[in-house]
Amino acid sequence: MGFIYYALPGAEELAENLARRADAKVGRLEVRHFPDGEIYVRAHTLCAGHRAVLVADLARPDHTVLALIFAADLLHDLGAEDIGLVAPYLAYMRQDKRFREGEAVTSASFAKLVSTALDWMVTVDPHLHRRKSLSEIYSIPASALHAAPVIGEWMAHNVPDALLVGPDGESEQWVKAVAEVADMPFIVLRKVRHGDRDVEVSVPQADQWHDRTPVLVDDIISTARTMIETVFHLKNAGMKPPICIGVHAIFAGDGYEALKNRGVRIVTCNAVPHPTNAIDLTGLIASGIQTLLSTKQGVL
Ligand code: R5P
């Protein structure tokens, strides 16, 4: 009863690397669209009696989620023993509350959908803000891995003179963890978001840090407005040109170009494939899968 790793479009490289590390087979999954836009899914590698792992890049979830659900249903139908999801970026985690009357709490709805179709899940730094753990919304065994130790090691080797900067209170958890691993100082700023693309970040007390390279660390870079606003203040405070590190390179709209134009170095983890990927999470994810599978209850 071996494992077969299947990639949803965009996750081919990660699926191959994870399969190689697990000494498992890579299955071929065909996903394409009919002329009317409906999705066609076919498994060219059959999986009866095997354990299947679907590897997905959910950075643009509305393009991928239906294919994922169809693929999971197909693999069950073809006789897979169980089906896991490896989604380094877990989509739909930010709408975790009904902020205004009548709004959908999509983090819970999405969790229900995924929990119905799959048997287990591994992800990296999901945006847990108002929720403490994935088990509050996911009813399948789900493991949330942390990129901080890997980022910390990268920092220690590549920017030994860093001052870590968290742009807001939510980022403190990542910045603090990275700072501990890399043994570096950190500061956390305050942020007020006025709109999707309108953020205000507090001015840092930078006087004592002029000899340090500021390194901004956040879980998600989406519109990049949080990073851009923070970079603006750091430059105004006379600090060295900053480096921006994100776990998840979402880069919505013109986010990437707009941040790049600020003259900063951008470094991201390969949780979402992007030209800025420089920190490799494959080892972290591979051992996370192994740990979850050796401990989870109730599923093969
Ligand atoms: C906020 O809750 C997150 O940790 C990130 O700070 C946020 O998602 C970044 O968004 P943007 O790049 O759109 O400013």
Side-chain angles (χ1 to χ4, degrees), residues 94 127 168 170 191 193 218-220 222-226:
R94 280 176 289 176
H127 192 79
D168 59 16
E170 285 174 47
K191 175 173 90 180
R193 186 179 280 280
D218 209 350
D219 59 339
I220 298 170
S222 181
T223 65
R225 266 43 191 188
T226 302

Side-chain angles (χ1 to χ4, degrees), residues 10 28 35 43 48-49 120 144 185 197 214 217 222-223 245 264 288-289:
R28 193 175 145 225
W120 55 266
R197 288 166 196 277
V217 181
S222 181
T223 65
I245 299 188
V264 296
I289 296 170

Side-chain angles (χ1 to χ4, degrees), residues 12 35 41 43 53 63 65 99 115 117 121 141 151 158 175-176 187 204 206 227 231 285-286 291:
E12 292 81 359
V41 182
V53 183
H63 294 176
V65 168
F99 297 93
S115 300
M121 178 178 82
I151 298 176
N158 293 278
V175 176
K176 207 171 160 183
I187 55 171
M227 288 283 186
V231 166
I285 297 170
T291 306

Side-chain angles (χ1 to χ4, degrees), residues 21 31 64 128 205 248:
R21 280 176 184 255
V31 179
T64 318
L128 289 166
Q205 298 297 314
H248 302 293

Side-chain angles (χ1 to χ4, degrees), residues 4-88:
I4 306 181
Y5 281 67
Y6 295 92
L8 271 294
E12 292 81 359
E13 191 180 334
L14 180 61
E16 272 174 33
N17 290 338
L18 289 172
R20 191 173 314 118
R21 280 176 184 255
D23 209 9
K25 200 166 156 179
V26 178
R28 193 175 145 225
L29 189 70
E30 181 183 353
V31 179
R32 60 179 172 83
H33 289 91
F34 287 109
D36 61 2
E38 289 189 358
I39 295 168
Y40 170 93
V41 182
R42 178 178 175 194
H44 289 271
T45 310
L46 300 181
C47 57
H50 287 78
R51 305 184 70 176
V53 183
L54 282 164
V55 184
D57 168 15
L58 298 182
R60 301 286 178 270
D62 298 352
H63 294 176
T64 318
V65 168
L66 204 51
L68 168 68
I69 302 298
F70 287 156
D73 196 43
L74 166 68
L75 300 180
H76 270 303
D77 202 28
L78 293 175
E81 293 289 337
D82 71 345
I83 301 162
L85 168 63
V86 175

Side-chain angles (χ1 to χ4, degrees), residues 148-165:
V150 188
I151 298 176
E153 271 177 41
W154 186 91
M155 295 278 309
H157 283 107
N158 293 278
V159 204
D161 68 335
L163 164 69
L164 287 150
V165 182

